[in-house]
Amino acid sequence: LAAPRVPTPPTVSGLQYEFGGRYWFSSGDHGFDLYDPLLTRQLNSRLTFADLTGQTAEIFYRADFEPGVFLKGFVGGGAITSGKLNNEDFPISSDFPYSNTLSNQSGGSLKYATGDLGYNLYRGALPGGQPVRIGPFIGYNHYHQRINTFGCNQVSANPQICGVIPPAYTPIPTDVDVLDADASWNSLRAGVEGEVVLLPRVRAKMEAAWTRNWVWNTDYHNLRPDIRAMQ
């Protein structure tokens, strides 16, 4: 994580603004379970995307208007450069043994944006003279990621999955796109933020927010025309 030094925000006709850029390196996991629609306690399948690494570039901004309105946010995007997928299928009968297949992630992407509108209810100073401002805000956030997985290798004891040439059931090559996943988060935000200027070029900020989230997720089983897209 690296961020450039941000100069003292300029002021033009009652407008104070700042902007800059950041680079992010991130890692994480993503997964979800699929339960039987009729036997709701029966876990049929689980997708686990692990060791995902992302690299993104981000632009951030803030503008303060008189008498106290402010607008702030950030926009970013980049690539998910590595990772893996474990696709588990759980027994629903004695004729279908447990399956756990392994695929590699490549060529994924992510993008996101947040915008907040608020008002500085309090602008004052600490006993030592350091400027302070505190204000509530409302805003919106969007995040989208795309994960692509290639190849298929059975790491359990079910030869029927990932096997395309019986009786050897040769693993699916690593250049075959077997499963993709699209996930989007949309959030409404309401919160409060505070800032204190410690030194001319050093500030401390705190922000807390309540969010209401909506998630949309679809995985594409490219080798299964009958269930190619599942939400």
Side-chain angles (χ1 to χ4, degrees):
L1 166 63
R5 284 179 53 185
V6 179
T8 302
T11 302
V12 178
S13 302
L15 168 64
Q16 188 177 50
Y17 61 92
E18 62 184 41
F19 61 91
R22 291 188 283 241
Y23 164 78
W24 289 93
F25 175 84
S26 60
S27 63
D29 300 336
H30 172 65
F32 55 93
D33 297 339
L34 175 65
Y35 286 86
D36 191 282
L38 300 178
L39 303 174
T40 56
R41 294 188 177 183
Q42 169 65 47
L43 177 60
N44 288 344
S45 179
R46 172 181 290 142
L47 298 179
T48 303
F49 299 90
D51 301 329
L52 300 172
T53 58
Q55 302 188 59
T56 58
E58 178 180 298
I59 297 173
F60 63 89
Y61 62 90
R62 180 182 175 111
D64 286 87
F65 306 87
E66 292 295 343
V69 175
F70 64 85
L71 178 67
K72 65 182 180 70
F74 50 86
V75 179
I80 302 175
T81 55
S82 63
K84 64 181 180 180
L85 164 66
N86 281 95
N87 184 353
E88 298 175 272
D89 293 308
F90 296 91
I92 56 177
S93 71
S94 58
D95 297 328
F96 188 86
Y98 169 75
S99 171
N100 183 1
T101 65
L102 179 64
S103 303
N104 294 322
Q105 195 289 140
S106 178
S109 63
L110 57 87
K111 56 186 177 181
Y112 55 90
T114 293
D116 297 320
L117 177 67
Y119 187 84
N120 291 311
L121 287 179
Y122 175 78
R123 288 187 289 183
L126 296 178
Q130 299 90 340
V132 176
R133 63 186 181 192
I134 301 174
F137 64 85
I138 58 173
Y140 169 79
N141 169 261
H142 173 75
Y143 176 89
H144 175 265
Q145 70 178 23
R146 170 82 177 195
I147 304 174
N148 307 309
T149 62
F150 295 82
C152 184
N153 184 36
Q154 178 65 251
V155 295
S156 184
N158 188 339
Q160 301 175 49
I161 308 298
C162 284
V164 294
I165 307 176
Y169 293 105
T170 305
I172 297 174
T174 57
D175 60 348
V176 177
D177 187 351
V178 296
L179 189 147
D180 308 314
D182 267 317
S184 293
W185 286 261
N186 293 280
S187 306
L188 294 178
R189 295 157 41 88
V192 62
E193 71 148 26
E195 178 184 282
V196 55
V197 179
L198 302 176
L199 296 171
R201 294 180 180 271
V202 179
R203 289 171 288 168
K205 290 186 177 184
M206 183 189 72
E207 179 179 301
W210 172 89
T211 65
R212 179 69 171 90
N213 305 291
W214 293 266
V215 180
W216 172 81
N217 196 108
T218 301
D219 60 276
Y220 301 93
H221 294 251
N222 298 321
L223 303 183
R224 296 282 304 276
D226 55 327
I227 59 167
R228 183 177 182 273
M230 299 186 64
Q231 294 187 358

